Structure formats: structure tokens, C-alpha cells
Amino acid sequence: MDIEVWIRALKAARAGAEVSQEALAATIRWSPSTVAAIETGRRRPTMEFAAAADQALGTGGLLASLLTAGEANSGPGWFEPWHGHEERAIRLCFFEPCMVPGMLQTEEYARAVASAGGMYRSSRVEELVSLRLERQRLLHREDPPDCVFVIDESALRRPVGGPAAMDRQLGRLLDVVESPHVRLHVLPLDIGAHVSMGGGFVLAELPEGDRLLCLDNAARGQIADYPEWIALVQRKWEHLLGEALSERTSIELINKLKVTP
């Protein structure tokens, strides 16, 4: 997508409506710093931002349409801007209640997830798998972000792709925790109810000190920088870490679940 064209369209719409950056931010409930960052090209616009700006500026869906038309075809439309945020992040905190996080999945595990239920054609499954594997470059670059993962124990016991594939997936987890930039904690089943049973999330800390949130749901991911949302999820994250097993005990559990040496 030519982001400069989209930015010019946003600025023109805002000027035509005689709305300042600060007024737009207040109307759509995004921070003024985010509006400024988007208009200067330091942050990519999300679909949520475009739709909210369309409504506030009376542009009849133009900004969202331009963003949709320019999004990459290989991955979900919402993911393109989040991928850029992950690349810039200095710290990423992942919680996943149902499966191994995409950042840590083996190819066969990712393919089993993408093909479950026959929701996608085989060509689309392969596109999604390729996108997931490409995303994992982040862990192996010269200056990776610090990554902390909390995974529900049930995700480690679910034989995604079959017992043999799951065994190899557990081996992948044991390999990745050798990195000094990766921490992994397991949330044990015996704690019962916990604060984030409604879904997974990723918290990203960016170099400028900004924080972003990516929430999972059944239809798509949602990216947000609402301070109240981030504060709530940060509290949930701290609670989950407090309930989770230590790194050492988590690794011991994964070793116990793994069948082959």
C-alpha cells in the first residue's frame, strides 16, 4: 500500500471538516500521539482507526476502502500493521489459552491449525502457514525483542496435528527457550478459573515508550492503543504471570509431556 496516498487522504478529509488532530483523537478515542504518528508515517493505520476516522470526518467509508484496497493479499487484512509493530517492538508479552502461540509453532502444527474444519482452501492454508513462519524471523534476527510467553497447560496437552506432530511441537518449545530473549511460562490447569479465559492477547512495548495491544477473537484480531484497555490487560498479564509456573518448572512439565527424547 502507498501509505503516503492514504495519509494525504486523511489530512485532506480532516482539513475539509476543519477538525484538528487533537479534536479527531478526542472524537474517535485514540490518543493524540497516535493520530500524529499515523499522519507522519511513523505508525501504520489500522482498519479500526480508518473506520473511526471515516465516521468522525463524514468521508463515507473512503479511508477504510483505501486501506482495504491496499492491504497485502497474503495475510489477514488486520495483520499487516500489527506485523510492523511487532518488528519495531522491544518487548512482546503473549498469552494464549487454546494453542501454542503462532510465533512458536512448527510448520506442521501451523498447518493443522489453519486447515482445521476445512475452513480454507489448501492454497489459502499454505499462505497462512507461510505468513506464520515468516513472522518467526523476529526471534532469530540479530536484535530480537524480549519475548515472554504464558501458555495454558491445556494447549500443551491438545494433540494438534496428531500425537507425533504435537511431540515435535513440544520439542520446538524446548529449543526456543534456549534463547536468552525468550521466557516461557505454563499456566497450570489446577488453578481453575483465571482472568483471561475469554481469549489471548499480545502486549507490545515500542521504542518510543508507547504500548499497543492485539486481541484475538473468533473473526479477526483487533489492534488498540486505548489506555484503559492496555491498563486492564496489563493487570491481567501480571495476574497470569503470578499464577503461572516458573520458567524451570514450566520446562520440566514440557519435558514430562514430551514422549520422545
Side-chain angles (χ1 to χ4, degrees), residues 96 98-102 105-120 125 128-129 132 158-162 166 169:
E96 181 53 66
C98 301
M99 62 182 176
V100 171
Q105 292 176 6
T106 64
E107 181 174 347
E108 58 186 335
Y109 186 103
R111 185 170 289 108
V113 171
S115 59
M119 299 292 290
Y120 302 110
V125 168
L128 293 172
V129 171
R132 188 148 298 178
R158 185 181 302 277
V160 174
M166 190 64 209
Q169 176 61 72

Side-chain angles (χ1 to χ4, degrees), residues 9-10 13-15 17-19 24 28 52-60 63:
L10 172 63
R14 190 168 56 73
E18 298 183 345
V19 174
L24 177 60
I28 65 177
D54 274 328
Q55 184 173 1
L57 300 173
T59 47
L63 297 173

Side-chain angles (χ1 to χ4, degrees), residues 4-248:
E4 293 299 326
V5 172
W6 192 92
I7 290 172
R8 287 199 297 271
L10 172 63
K11 289 180 176 179
R14 190 168 56 73
E18 298 183 345
V19 174
S20 67
Q21 284 187 352
E22 293 76 12
L24 177 60
T27 301
I28 65 177
R29 298 190 65 197
W30 286 63
S31 68
S33 62
T34 297
V35 176
I38 287 173
E39 288 202 354
T40 56
R42 291 185 292 110
R43 179 175 295 182
R44 296 184 70 85
T46 66
M47 189 57 65
E48 287 77 15
F49 180 92
D54 274 328
Q55 184 173 1
L57 300 173
T59 47
L62 173 65
L63 297 173
S65 297
L66 287 174
L67 192 59
T68 299
E71 283 175 339
N73 293 324
S74 60
W78 67 269
F79 182 75
E80 184 186 0
W82 178 253
H83 183 59
H85 299 319
E86 277 190 337
E87 289 287 332
R88 295 175 51 237
I90 59 175
R91 180 179 172 85
L92 292 164
C93 300
F94 302 79
F95 171 65
E96 181 53 66
C98 301
M99 62 182 176
V100 171
M103 192 70 77
L104 303 179
Q105 292 176 6
T106 64
E107 181 174 347
E108 58 186 335
Y109 186 103
R111 185 170 289 108
V113 171
S115 59
M119 299 292 290
Y120 302 110
R121 297 189 302 272
S122 59
S123 60
R124 182 57 174 160
V125 168
E126 294 308 312
E127 287 176 352
L128 293 172
V129 171
S130 296
L131 178 67
R132 188 148 298 178
L133 298 179
E134 170 65 18
R135 183 183 175 202
Q136 295 176 7
R137 288 189 310 103
L138 189 71
L139 297 178
H140 306 293
R141 72 186 192 194
E142 187 174 340
D143 58 337
D146 291 326
C147 294
V148 185
F149 298 86
V150 175
I151 308 174
D152 194 276
E153 183 181 342
S154 62
L156 304 180
R157 294 183 178 275
R158 185 181 302 277
V160 174
M166 190 64 209
D167 199 61
R168 288 186 284 272
Q169 176 61 72
L170 294 174
R172 159 74 170 156
L173 297 181
L174 294 174
D175 289 341
V176 79
V177 295
E178 296 293 328
S179 168
H181 298 281
V182 175
R183 291 170 48 199
L184 190 152
H185 300 269
V186 176
L187 190 68
L189 287 173
D190 61 14
I191 68 167
H194 60 77
V195 296
S196 196
M197 297 183 74
F201 59 81
V202 186
L203 279 166
E205 181 181 341
L206 303 180
E208 302 85 358
D210 293 335
R211 291 188 298 170
L212 287 174
L213 170 65
C214 183
L215 296 169
D216 282 343
N217 62 50
R220 55 173 288 161
Q222 182 178 12
I223 305 169
D225 71 344
Y226 308 130
E228 60 270 30
W229 288 21
I230 291 176
L232 173 63
V233 174
Q234 181 67 42
R235 292 198 300 273
K236 290 188 174 188
W237 171 253
E238 291 167 1
H239 193 280
L240 291 168
L241 271 181
E243 296 277 14
L245 302 176
S246 69
E247 292 180 80
R248 179 177 177 179

